Amino acid sequence: MPEGVVADVPAKPQRGLNVDIARKHFTAEWIEARLREMADLKLNQFGLHFSDDQGFRIASDTHPEVVSAQHLTKAEVRRILALAQSLHITVVPEIDSPGHLGAVLRAHPDLQLRNVQGTPRQGAIDISKPGSARIVDELLREYAGLFPGGWFHVGADEYQALTVSSPAASYPQLATAARQKYGPGAGVQDLAEGWLNDRAAVVRDAGKVAKAWNDGFFRGGLVTADKGIEVEYWTGKEIGARPPAEYLAEARKVVNLNDEFLYYVLGEPNQFTYPTGRRIYEQWTPLVLRGTTPVPARYGPQILGGRFAVWCDLSRAQTQAQVADGIRMPLTATAQKLWDAREPAMSWDRFRALATKVRG
């Protein structure tokens, strides 16, 4: 090659892969193989969703009782983190709350959210109880110390108390706690938003930037989400769905995990279908945050990037090897569009052939 200088910079600073290891146990070796694959694609952010209703998959010193039988040891996590650091990849841990805490609540049933009839809600913690914040914050602090990267994902999606027609009537303890904390006009939504802010403050005190799912940011309440929390936009299907432009108009920073294009959901439940590299390559850009319609280009600088996401809703639908094979070309296409968001000059067939040749 003759002498020269190549100047090549990415369109977006955050470019990555998200893997749900809570619903399905993945070995440390499998995760390390994905990190090497990510490095080949110049991806630099690996989201690790390790706590959910089905499992808690990293060893804990503060609360060993919540850890699933199949899990990563802290030695394995440190090995993963060392490899990630050597490949210039930041690992972003996620402990989702106040929903998706079933594994934690199995060991602490007294903290489970129950409605006025005493019926428990799957995975939901009772945010009116001081013990709920205590255990979640202890876990957040523990893993903030384990993971050296600059972000921590605190979840905030799909809290079941807010999916009923009258949260105050169904969960009077939450309504009472909201009024006590935020004043007579406050409601359950405000208590949930305050919960998000409080968890974000815990990880901020540990030197991290908080991330949270978009359906944890509400409109019209007394309490609003802190502007420093990065919005991870994944869906427009939730109750009270807010279009992406609302978050952007509030000057919030957003990361794209559009479930229409970037969600690889094992077993294809709830009308999900496995994404294809061709569709991502030909139809998706970081501006396409919801569905297939892009937001106005003026919001581009607020969109920090995106991640392709593996979710293991039906965990036995595919083996580890099948997941790795299934995401190979979709992840490649995602990496390309995050590096260069312009309309591709190369056809999909030519791009796929080139990617196959280069990657072996």
Side-chain angles (χ1 to χ4, degrees):
M1 177 180 288
E3 290 184 7
V5 175
V6 175
D8 189 22
V9 295
K12 297 297 177 184
Q14 294 187 32
R15 309 175 308 281
L17 171 65
N18 211 77
V19 178
D20 167 17
I21 68 168
R23 295 180 177 93
K24 181 180 182 70
H25 174 66
F26 290 90
T27 64
E29 292 75 17
W30 187 93
I31 293 171
E32 289 169 328
R34 302 289 72 71
L35 291 172
R36 294 186 180 96
E37 182 178 8
M38 290 174 63
D40 289 344
L41 296 169
K42 297 186 182 179
L43 296 172
N44 64 359
Q45 194 179 77
F46 182 64
L48 201 60
H49 178 93
F50 67 90
S51 169
D52 212 303
D53 295 345
Q54 294 81 356
F56 193 102
R57 303 289 182 182
I58 296 178
S60 172
D61 298 317
T62 62
H63 288 283
E65 74 281 359
V66 308
V67 179
S68 301
Q70 283 189 308
H71 65 271
L72 299 173
T73 66
K74 286 196 172 179
E76 288 176 316
V77 172
R78 292 187 181 100
R79 196 179 81 203
I80 289 167
L81 291 168
L83 176 62
Q85 185 175 26
S86 75
L87 298 173
H88 308 285
I89 295 170
T90 300
V91 181
V92 181
E94 180 189 355
I95 296 178
D96 200 347
S97 78
H100 295 279
L101 280 171
V104 171
L105 291 169
R106 276 194 291 278
H108 296 272
D110 56 306
L111 299 178
Q112 180 137 25
L113 178 66
R114 295 177 180 272
N115 68 11
V116 71
Q117 284 86 30
T119 304
R121 291 306 300 262
Q122 173 67 29
I125 202 165
D126 189 332
I127 59 176
S128 70
K129 294 185 175 181
S132 296
R134 188 179 308 118
I135 189 171
V136 171
D137 289 350
E138 287 168 354
L139 291 167
L140 290 173
R141 293 187 184 101
E142 177 179 359
Y143 294 101
L146 177 63
F147 289 85
W151 292 277
F152 204 116
H153 203 306
V154 296
D157 63 313
E158 298 181 320
Y159 188 46
Q160 295 299 307
L162 297 172
T163 64
V164 296
S165 58
S166 176
S170 295
Y171 300 99
Q173 75 275 29
L174 300 185
T176 298
R179 291 191 297 270
Q180 289 173 344
K181 188 169 185 178
Y182 298 112
V188 176
Q189 171 184 303
D190 298 300
L191 192 68
E193 203 74 282
W195 173 276
L196 168 59
N197 286 339
D198 290 346
R199 308 297 74 76
V202 169
V203 301
R204 185 171 60 246
D205 288 346
K208 316 290 186 185
V209 173
K211 290 176 173 287
W213 300 113
N214 67 281
D215 50 329
F217 295 75
F218 309 115
R219 67 158 75 94
L222 296 180
V223 182
T224 57
D226 186 278
K227 288 290 180 67
I229 305 170
E230 294 181 4
V231 181
E232 302 254 314
Y233 198 98
W234 72 281
T235 188
K237 303 182 179 76
E238 78 279 11
I239 293 174
R242 300 177 65 195
E246 278 197 24
Y247 303 84
L248 295 163
E250 295 172 356
R252 296 186 184 276
K253 294 179 179 178
V254 178
V255 179
N256 192 326
L257 288 95
N258 183 344
D259 64 352
E260 175 73 22
F261 288 93
L262 306 180
Y263 262 37
Y264 191 94
V265 185
L266 267 59
E268 302 181 303
N270 302 319
Q271 299 181 312
F272 282 109
T273 57
Y274 292 128
T276 66
R278 176 190 286 271
R279 189 161 182 258
I280 294 167
Y281 185 78
E282 294 179 344
Q283 299 180 31
W284 179 81
T285 76
L287 291 172
V288 181
L289 284 160
R290 171 178 171 177
T292 58
T293 305
V295 297
R298 67 179 182 273
Y299 290 127
Q302 290 172 239
I303 300 172
L304 302 177
R307 293 196 307 284
F308 186 85
V310 177
W311 297 102
C312 302
D313 293 37
L314 300 176
S315 61
R316 297 182 180 179
Q318 290 191 344
T319 64
Q320 288 189 140
Q322 287 172 322
V323 173
D325 184 61
I327 70 173
R328 185 175 175 83
M329 287 312 297
L331 187 62
T332 303
T334 304
Q336 174 63 28
K337 299 302 287 289
L338 288 166
W339 192 272
D340 187 347
R342 297 171 298 181
E343 185 171 343
M346 192 180 296
S347 71
W348 166 251
D349 288 335
R350 286 184 60 206
F351 176 81
R352 180 178 58 185
L354 179 61
T356 301
K357 181 179 179 181
V358 170
R359 301 185 64 196

mmCIF file of all heavy atoms in Angstrom, residues 235-253:
data_model
loop_
_atom_site.group_PDB
_atom_site.id
_atom_site.type_symbol
_atom_site.label_atom_id
_atom_site.label_comp_id
_atom_site.label_asym_id
_atom_site.label_seq_id
_atom_site.Cartn_x
_atom_site.Cartn_y
_atom_site.Cartn_z
ATOM 1 N N THR A 235 -39.502 1.429 22.308
ATOM 2 C CA THR A 235 -40.858 1.086 21.878
ATOM 3 C C THR A 235 -41.782 2.286 21.882
ATOM 4 O O THR A 235 -41.580 3.247 22.628
ATOM 5 C CB THR A 235 -41.461 -0.001 22.782
ATOM 6 O OG1 THR A 235 -42.695 -0.456 22.237
ATOM 7 C CG2 THR A 235 -41.706 0.517 24.192
ATOM 8 N N GLY A 236 -42.794 2.201 21.047
ATOM 9 C CA GLY A 236 -43.897 3.143 21.077
ATOM 10 C C GLY A 236 -45.201 2.427 21.318
ATOM 11 O O GLY A 236 -46.272 2.928 20.989
ATOM 12 N N LYS A 237 -45.131 1.235 21.928
ATOM 13 C CA LYS A 237 -46.317 0.395 22.124
ATOM 14 C C LYS A 237 -46.829 0.408 23.561
ATOM 15 O O LYS A 237 -47.840 -0.212 23.876
ATOM 16 C CB LYS A 237 -46.006 -1.050 21.718
ATOM 17 C CG LYS A 237 -45.522 -1.217 20.283
ATOM 18 C CD LYS A 237 -45.277 -2.686 19.953
ATOM 19 C CE LYS A 237 -44.824 -2.888 18.530
ATOM 20 N NZ LYS A 237 -43.412 -2.521 18.321
ATOM 21 N N GLU A 238 -46.126 1.108 24.457
ATOM 22 C CA GLU A 238 -46.529 1.087 25.860
ATOM 23 C C GLU A 238 -47.764 1.953 26.102
ATOM 24 O O GLU A 238 -48.128 2.796 25.263
ATOM 25 C CB GLU A 238 -45.367 1.569 26.752
ATOM 26 C CG GLU A 238 -45.147 3.075 26.790
ATOM 27 C CD GLU A 238 -44.369 3.624 25.631
ATOM 28 O OE1 GLU A 238 -44.133 2.895 24.639
ATOM 29 O OE2 GLU A 238 -43.999 4.813 25.685
ATOM 30 N N ILE A 239 -48.403 1.753 27.244
ATOM 31 C CA ILE A 239 -49.550 2.586 27.624
ATOM 32 C C ILE A 239 -49.079 4.039 27.740
ATOM 33 O O ILE A 239 -48.046 4.319 28.358
ATOM 34 C CB ILE A 239 -50.151 2.083 28.947
ATOM 35 C CG1 ILE A 239 -50.764 0.692 28.740
ATOM 36 C CG2 ILE A 239 -51.202 3.066 29.469
ATOM 37 C CD1 ILE A 239 -51.254 0.050 30.021
ATOM 38 N N GLY A 240 -49.821 4.945 27.132
ATOM 39 C CA GLY A 240 -49.429 6.350 27.148
ATOM 40 C C GLY A 240 -48.187 6.629 26.341
ATOM 41 O O GLY A 240 -47.392 7.503 26.679
ATOM 42 N N ALA A 241 -48.024 5.878 25.249
ATOM 43 C CA ALA A 241 -46.812 5.969 24.440
ATOM 44 C C ALA A 241 -46.512 7.404 24.023
ATOM 45 O O ALA A 241 -47.398 8.153 23.621
ATOM 46 C CB ALA A 241 -46.956 5.092 23.195
ATOM 47 N N ARG A 242 -45.243 7.772 24.148
ATOM 48 C CA ARG A 242 -44.784 9.097 23.760
ATOM 49 C C ARG A 242 -43.912 8.971 22.516
ATOM 50 O O ARG A 242 -42.965 8.185 22.496
ATOM 51 C CB ARG A 242 -43.975 9.733 24.887
ATOM 52 C CG ARG A 242 -44.743 9.906 26.198
ATOM 53 C CD ARG A 242 -43.830 10.484 27.267
ATOM 54 N NE ARG A 242 -43.401 11.837 26.903
ATOM 55 C CZ ARG A 242 -42.381 12.472 27.501
ATOM 56 N NH1 ARG A 242 -41.685 11.867 28.445
ATOM 57 N NH2 ARG A 242 -42.052 13.693 27.132
ATOM 58 N N PRO A 243 -44.194 9.739 21.481
ATOM 59 C CA PRO A 243 -43.359 9.674 20.279
ATOM 60 C C PRO A 243 -41.948 10.171 20.573
ATOM 61 O O PRO A 243 -41.736 10.989 21.481
ATOM 62 C CB PRO A 243 -44.091 10.582 19.292
ATOM 63 C CG PRO A 243 -44.921 11.493 20.135
ATOM 64 C CD PRO A 243 -45.297 10.701 21.347
ATOM 65 N N PRO A 244 -40.969 9.708 19.807
ATOM 66 C CA PRO A 244 -39.577 10.080 20.079
ATOM 67 C C PRO A 244 -39.334 11.581 20.099
ATOM 68 O O PRO A 244 -38.515 12.069 20.880
ATOM 69 C CB PRO A 244 -38.810 9.416 18.933
ATOM 70 C CG PRO A 244 -39.691 8.317 18.462
ATOM 71 C CD PRO A 244 -41.092 8.760 18.691
ATOM 72 N N ALA A 245 -40.047 12.319 19.230
ATOM 73 C CA ALA A 245 -39.806 13.762 19.144
ATOM 74 C C ALA A 245 -40.089 14.468 20.470
ATOM 75 O O ALA A 245 -39.510 15.518 20.747
ATOM 76 C CB ALA A 245 -40.643 14.376 18.028
ATOM 77 N N GLU A 246 -40.969 13.897 21.314
ATOM 78 C CA GLU A 246 -41.252 14.525 22.610
ATOM 79 C C GLU A 246 -40.006 14.543 23.492
ATOM 80 O O GLU A 246 -39.706 15.545 24.151
ATOM 81 C CB GLU A 246 -42.381 13.783 23.337
ATOM 82 C CG GLU A 246 -43.776 14.173 22.890
ATOM 83 C CD GLU A 246 -44.823 13.744 23.908
ATOM 84 O OE1 GLU A 246 -44.482 13.575 25.104
ATOM 85 O OE2 GLU A 246 -45.977 13.577 23.505
ATOM 86 N N TYR A 247 -39.293 13.446 23.518
ATOM 87 C CA TYR A 247 -38.077 13.371 24.332
ATOM 88 C C TYR A 247 -37.024 14.332 23.777
ATOM 89 O O TYR A 247 -36.335 15.018 24.531
ATOM 90 C CB TYR A 247 -37.521 11.948 24.325
ATOM 91 C CG TYR A 247 -38.478 10.897 24.807
ATOM 92 C CD1 TYR A 247 -39.429 10.333 23.952
ATOM 93 C CD2 TYR A 247 -38.446 10.446 26.126
ATOM 94 C CE1 TYR A 247 -40.301 9.357 24.387
ATOM 95 C CE2 TYR A 247 -39.314 9.466 26.579
ATOM 96 C CZ TYR A 247 -40.247 8.926 25.693
ATOM 97 O OH TYR A 247 -41.119 7.957 26.134
ATOM 98 N N LEU A 248 -36.909 14.346 22.461
ATOM 99 C CA LEU A 248 -35.903 15.190 21.819
ATOM 100 C C LEU A 248 -36.232 16.665 21.991
ATOM 101 O O LEU A 248 -35.339 17.489 22.205
ATOM 102 C CB LEU A 248 -35.803 14.818 20.344
ATOM 103 C CG LEU A 248 -35.286 13.386 20.100
ATOM 104 C CD1 LEU A 248 -35.614 12.939 18.683
ATOM 105 C CD2 LEU A 248 -33.790 13.306 20.359
ATOM 106 N N ALA A 249 -37.535 16.994 21.923
ATOM 107 C CA ALA A 249 -37.938 18.389 22.105
ATOM 108 C C ALA A 249 -37.661 18.880 23.518
ATOM 109 O O ALA A 249 -37.543 20.088 23.755
ATOM 110 C CB ALA A 249 -39.423 18.547 21.779
ATOM 111 N N GLU A 250 -37.556 17.959 24.480
ATOM 112 C CA GLU A 250 -37.198 18.302 25.858
ATOM 113 C C GLU A 250 -35.686 18.400 26.036
ATOM 114 O O GLU A 250 -35.200 18.502 27.167
ATOM 115 C CB GLU A 250 -37.762 17.256 26.818
ATOM 116 C CG GLU A 250 -39.286 17.214 26.859
ATOM 117 C CD GLU A 250 -39.817 16.039 27.684
ATOM 118 O OE1 GLU A 250 -39.000 15.220 28.163
ATOM 119 O OE2 GLU A 250 -41.054 15.935 27.825
ATOM 120 N N ALA A 251 -34.956 18.350 24.929
ATOM 121 C CA ALA A 251 -33.489 18.438 24.926
ATOM 122 C C ALA A 251 -32.830 17.239 25.596
ATOM 123 O O ALA A 251 -31.716 17.345 26.128
ATOM 124 C CB ALA A 251 -33.018 19.740 25.571
ATOM 125 N N ARG A 252 -33.502 16.103 25.559
ATOM 126 C CA ARG A 252 -32.921 14.892 26.131
ATOM 127 C C ARG A 252 -32.017 14.197 25.116
ATOM 128 O O ARG A 252 -32.233 14.282 23.910
ATOM 129 C CB ARG A 252 -34.025 13.931 26.588
ATOM 130 C CG ARG A 252 -34.882 14.491 27.713
ATOM 131 C CD ARG A 252 -35.863 13.447 28.232
ATOM 132 N NE ARG A 252 -36.741 14.007 29.242
ATOM 133 C CZ ARG A 252 -36.434 14.126 30.531
ATOM 134 N NH1 ARG A 252 -35.251 13.724 30.967
ATOM 135 N NH2 ARG A 252 -37.291 14.648 31.387
ATOM 136 N N LYS A 253 -31.034 13.486 25.624
ATOM 137 C CA LYS A 253 -30.168 12.675 24.784
ATOM 138 C C LYS A 253 -30.750 11.264 24.697
ATOM 139 O O LYS A 253 -31.193 10.697 25.699
ATOM 140 C CB LYS A 253 -28.753 12.647 25.357
ATOM 141 C CG LYS A 253 -28.083 14.017 25.307
ATOM 142 C CD LYS A 253 -26.698 13.987 25.900
ATOM 143 C CE LYS A 253 -26.037 15.359 25.813
ATOM 144 N NZ LYS A 253 -24.679 15.370 26.426
#
